[in-house]
Amino acid sequence: MPAQSVPGNQISETIRAAKSKGSPAIVAYITAGFPKREVFAKLLGEVAAAADVIEIGVPFSDPMADGTTIQRSS
């Protein structure tokens, strides 16, 4: 019987699983709705095929604390 994940631990478990295989975990970031709302879901699926973890950022009206790439995507 497979072990069940503890809610909230999926990210840590995914990173540990990649490490145990001797490879890094790929953690992707994408801004919600980028590049256009109509194609976001398709793009998200493509990113999910390559990444172990995906962080979806919420566009913010003043993203000054974020880097240039995130500022532009917001």
Side-chain angles (χ1 to χ4, degrees):
M1 177 187 306
Q4 288 188 328
S5 294
V6 174
N9 286 347
Q10 295 91 344
I11 295 171
S12 298
E13 291 171 5
T14 299
I15 293 170
R16 279 191 214 100
K19 185 177 180 180
S20 72
K21 294 177 189 172
S23 63
I26 305 297
V27 179
Y29 176 93
I30 185 168
T31 301
F34 180 84
K36 293 180 180 178
R37 210 162 115 182
E38 300 78 29
V39 296
F40 176 73
K42 182 179 184 297
L43 180 61
L44 184 60
E46 292 170 1
V47 172
D52 297 298
V53 175
I54 301 174
E55 176 182 359
I56 300 174
V58 177
F60 185 59
S61 62
D62 188 18
M64 293 309 295
D66 295 322
T68 304
T69 302
I70 295 173
Q71 289 174 11
R72 289 180 180 160
S73 73
S74 292

